[in-house]
Amino acid sequence: MLASHAARPDNPIRVLLVEDDEAAYWHARDLLDAAPHARFTIDRVRDLQSGLARLAPGTFDVCLLEQALPDGDGLEILRAAPGRGCEAPIIVLTDKGSPELDLLAMELGAADYLEKTRLDAVLLERTIRFALNRRQQAQRLNRLAQHDELTGLANRSLFNDRLERALAWARRRERIAAVMVLDLNGFKAVNDRLGHVAGDRLLTIIGMRLSSR
């Protein structure tokens, strides 16, 4: 097996490798060990059911998924991932590519689709890093769409969504839902006398205190 590179970051990328073939497993390990800019830890499972069992939030950073597994189609993991709260990118690996399978994998949410025979260490690492970067950017945009950028608190869009859910829950159970309104007395005076920078700072502090409750 190829040696690790000492200059790579200390925090390894956690890889879930769903692969039944021993030769393909060791080949993937060698490629990840040879990656020039990142370190990886590998958690391997050999079949579809074991892969499905690992689809919990935060258990891995990226999944390398063999499409043809002994007990079923690996794409079932792609189908199941959103419903189980798994947001980690999933990269599909195959022995023989086809445009139809490539398109299907992308439609199901695969971060990429790679043919094993064309893989090298640089390509595999770059694909993983790009997939992780795209996920981080998507999470950031999603957060900006639902949270106030200054305070980090829920914005009107997220508030309305949570209010609708609370009202629906209350109607189903014949309960009462309550909304608490907070007012910040004297805030206009802070802006007028100390300036908007001070006002923004005050809002930030209040947002941190509310978030910690």
Side-chain angles (χ1 to χ4, degrees):
M1 189 180 300
L2 297 176
S4 299
H5 293 243
R8 295 179 296 184
D10 291 334
N11 295 327
I13 296 171
R14 299 170 300 166
V15 176
L16 174 64
L17 177 59
V18 185
E19 175 61 76
D20 63 306
D21 183 77
E22 286 296 318
Y25 162 65
W26 286 108
H27 181 57
R29 285 196 67 99
D30 286 344
L31 294 181
L32 292 174
D33 282 345
H37 301 113
R39 289 197 307 118
F40 299 91
T41 60
I42 302 174
D43 181 16
R44 180 211 185 179
V45 296
R46 293 174 170 81
D47 53 54
L48 174 61
Q49 293 306 314
S50 298
L52 290 169
R54 300 296 178 94
L55 290 181
T59 56
F60 55 89
D61 299 313
V62 64
C63 175
L64 300 180
L65 172 63
E66 162 60 46
Q67 181 266 327
L69 295 170
D71 57 339
D73 185 352
L75 297 187
E76 290 301 319
I77 290 177
L78 275 173
R79 293 186 175 93
R84 303 194 185 188
C86 177
E87 297 181 348
I90 299 175
I91 299 168
V92 176
L93 305 177
T94 183
D95 290 316
K96 185 178 181 181
S98 74
E100 296 77 16
L101 188 58
D102 189 349
L103 180 60
L104 178 58
M106 295 300 109
E107 289 177 347
L108 292 175
D112 215 325
Y113 176 88
L114 300 173
E115 293 182 40
K116 296 179 185 177
T117 56
R118 299 184 179 183
L119 275 183
D120 58 37
V122 173
L123 174 60
L124 183 56
E125 180 197 359
R126 185 170 66 232
T127 301
I128 291 173
R129 288 162 66 90
F130 280 9
L132 290 172
N133 183 263
R134 287 195 299 270
R135 183 195 63 176
Q136 290 169 357
Q137 292 299 322
Q139 290 175 334
R140 178 177 177 274
L141 291 174
N142 183 61
R143 179 168 180 79
L144 288 175
Q146 296 186 329
H147 294 81
D148 177 73
E149 190 170 3
L150 178 65
T151 64
L153 298 176
N155 62 14
R156 186 189 300 269
S157 174
L158 185 56
F159 168 74
N160 288 335
D161 176 73
R162 295 297 185 267
L163 179 59
E164 289 176 3
R165 293 188 187 188
L167 292 175
W169 178 90
R171 284 193 294 267
R172 288 196 302 270
R173 290 165 175 77
E174 298 183 350
R175 304 284 292 274
I176 295 175
V179 176
M180 182 172 64
V181 179
L182 299 179
D183 190 18
L184 191 59
N185 292 331
F187 179 70
K188 184 177 184 300
V190 173
N191 271 337
D192 291 344
R193 296 174 186 174
L194 301 177
H196 289 286
V197 173
D200 287 349
R201 177 59 180 159
L202 178 59
L203 289 176
T204 301
I205 293 172
I206 292 171
M208 293 173 59
R209 292 184 178 182
L210 289 174
S211 300
S212 66
R213 297 297 179 182

